[in-house]
């Protein structure tokens, strides 16, 4: 809503989340997995450096947990070909 009030750290995290959702919706499984890894790494760096407050940490942790649950088994490697 008030995007202009968000700091650059939030915009970086939100950009990754937006790409992750887009890749999930388009069924780009491997790209979505890479986005989740990127999100986890950046979140860890920002959390450890103290750039996020406790409310932001809780918010992003819950989003990351939700993405982990949704992306479990969401890979092309686990799919069985229909012609075999």
């Amino acid at each position: 809503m008030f995007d202009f009030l968000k700091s650059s750290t939030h915009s970086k995290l939100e950009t990754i989340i937006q790409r992750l959702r887009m890749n999930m919706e388009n069924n780009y499984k491997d790209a979505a997995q890479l986005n989740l890894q990127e999100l986890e790494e950046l979140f860890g760096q920002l959390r450890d450096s103290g750039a996020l407050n406790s409310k932001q940490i809780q918010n992003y942790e819950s989003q990351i947990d939700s993405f982990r649950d949704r992306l479990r088994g969401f890979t092309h490697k686990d799919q069985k070909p229909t012609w075999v």
Side-chain angles (χ1 to χ4, degrees):
M1 184 159 133
F2 294 102
D3 292 334
F4 63 91
L5 295 176
K6 291 184 178 179
S7 68
S8 64
T9 58
H10 299 279
S11 65
K12 290 177 186 177
L13 289 170
E14 292 298 325
T15 300
I16 296 171
I17 289 171
Q18 186 177 24
R19 278 189 284 144
L20 174 58
R21 286 185 177 141
M22 189 172 44
N23 284 328
M24 288 173 58
E25 290 171 3
N26 290 324
N27 204 26
Y28 298 146
K29 297 177 180 183
D30 296 332
Q33 293 289 347
L34 290 174
N35 292 141
L36 179 61
Q37 285 179 335
E38 183 182 5
L39 177 63
E40 290 173 333
E41 289 173 10
L42 181 60
F43 171 72
Q45 291 172 1
L46 293 173
R47 182 191 57 213
D48 295 342
S49 70
L52 301 171
N53 64 32
S54 62
K55 188 174 180 181
Q56 294 165 338
I57 290 172
Q58 288 176 341
N59 177 35
Y60 286 116
E61 282 178 343
S62 68
Q63 286 187 37
I64 290 171
D65 289 341
S66 173
F67 285 131
R68 274 191 205 126
D69 290 341
R70 290 173 56 192
L71 291 177
R72 190 170 293 127
F74 191 70
T75 63
H76 289 294
K77 296 177 226 171
D78 296 338
Q79 285 184 327
K80 305 252 190 250
T82 58
W83 61 86
V84 177

